[in-house]
């Protein structure tokens, strides 16, 4: 989980890159989110920096990416801040006008103060710093997909077998005896003709 590429620091410094490679349960992510929110994981100075949006003030243009309705008003230190006022007015407009969104949201972080992860890799963690609530939503799309595939394969086998048997019965019938045949044989009821 360490990224040495592109990190401009002292030799030996390591920058953790856990954006897409960290594997944990929803319960574990909830414990990490709780520890971050209530100051049990980071020192106060680091927590303040983690929650700040200092660098976002220099953003003057937004192109592509997520719409404001996804809560992507400002990107902070590894997560997003949402602004309900901008999301309600500008919604799914993409790209959205940065100046107008900033005017709607104000200089200070808007209320409610919600920081979240957007849920790009199937895990949506959020912290509401206004109410002290936090939460985690995990979507296990791979498990759902596998159960749907198992159902599809489970239905394909018996349906395929029934269709195959019906097809064989219709196409592979034994030839019927010709009426003008000189060979004597048994009729349908077993009598000699």
């Amino acid at each position: 989980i360490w990224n040495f590429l592109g990190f401009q620091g002292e030799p030996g410094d390591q920058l953790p890159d856990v954006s897409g490679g960290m594997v944990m349960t929803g319960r574990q992510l909830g414990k990490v989110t709780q520890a971050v929110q209530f100051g049990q994981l980071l020192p106060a100075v680091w927590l303040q920096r983690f929650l700040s949006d200092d660098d976002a003030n220099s953003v003057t243009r937004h192109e592509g990416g997520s719409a404001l309705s996804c809560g992507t008003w400002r990107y902070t230190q590894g997560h997003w801040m949402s602004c309900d006022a901008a999301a309600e007015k500008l919604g799914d407009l993409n790209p959205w006008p940065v100046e107008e969104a900033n005017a709607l949201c104000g200089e200070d972080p808007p209320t409610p103060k919600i920081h979240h992860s957007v849920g790009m890799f199937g895990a949506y963690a959020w912290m509401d710093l206004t109410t002290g609530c936090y939460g985690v939503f995990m979507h296990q799309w791979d498990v759902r997909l596998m159960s749907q595939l198992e159902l599809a394969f489970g239905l394909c086998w018996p349906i395929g077998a029934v269709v195959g048997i019906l097809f064989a019965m219709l196409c592979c019938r034994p030839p019927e005896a010709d009426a003008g045949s000189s060979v004597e044989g048994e009729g349908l009821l077993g009598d000699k003709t």
Side-chain angles (χ1 to χ4, degrees):
I1 64 172
W2 298 99
N3 179 13
F4 297 100
L5 303 174
F7 179 62
Q8 305 297 323
E10 297 296 319
D13 286 346
Q14 298 175 342
L15 178 67
D17 182 13
V18 295
S19 61
M22 184 180 280
V23 177
M24 66 175 54
T25 66
R27 180 171 284 131
Q28 291 168 329
L29 184 55
K31 288 179 180 180
V32 171
T33 305
Q34 179 188 29
V36 168
Q37 181 171 356
F38 296 109
Q40 301 163 344
L41 185 66
L42 301 172
V45 173
W46 290 8
L47 180 61
Q48 181 181 0
R49 179 70 180 138
F50 179 71
L51 297 175
S52 74
D53 64 339
D54 295 339
D55 298 327
N57 292 326
S58 61
V59 174
T60 59
R61 194 171 80 187
H62 176 266
E63 292 182 13
S66 299
L68 281 168
S69 60
C70 297
T72 57
W73 170 54
R74 286 198 174 163
Y75 190 74
T76 62
Q77 309 300 317
H79 62 282
W80 292 90
M81 290 177 63
S82 64
C83 173
D84 290 346
E88 289 170 5
K89 174 142 177 134
L90 302 173
D92 293 331
L93 183 64
N94 205 356
W96 45 271
V98 173
E99 297 82 18
E100 186 177 354
N102 288 342
L104 290 167
C105 299
E107 289 296 319
D108 293 329
T111 302
K113 296 178 184 175
I114 298 177
H115 294 251
H116 61 92
S117 66
V118 176
M120 189 67 69
F121 297 107
Y124 179 77
W126 56 272
M127 301 181 298
D128 185 344
L129 303 177
T130 307
T131 63
C133 295
Y134 69 94
V136 173
F137 174 77
M138 300 285 280
H139 181 70
Q140 293 181 322
W141 58 269
D142 57 340
V143 173
R144 182 176 179 193
L145 178 65
M146 289 306 295
S147 66
Q148 290 174 346
L149 287 175
E150 289 172 4
L151 176 64
F153 284 125
L155 290 175
C156 284
W157 284 103
I159 291 172
V162 168
V163 169
I165 291 169
L166 289 174
F167 183 72
M169 290 173 59
L170 292 174
C171 295
C172 302
R173 291 186 300 192
E176 297 177 2
D178 273 344
S181 176
S182 60
V183 178
E184 290 186 349
E186 295 184 4
L188 289 176
L189 299 175
D191 57 341
K192 295 268 186 187
T193 55

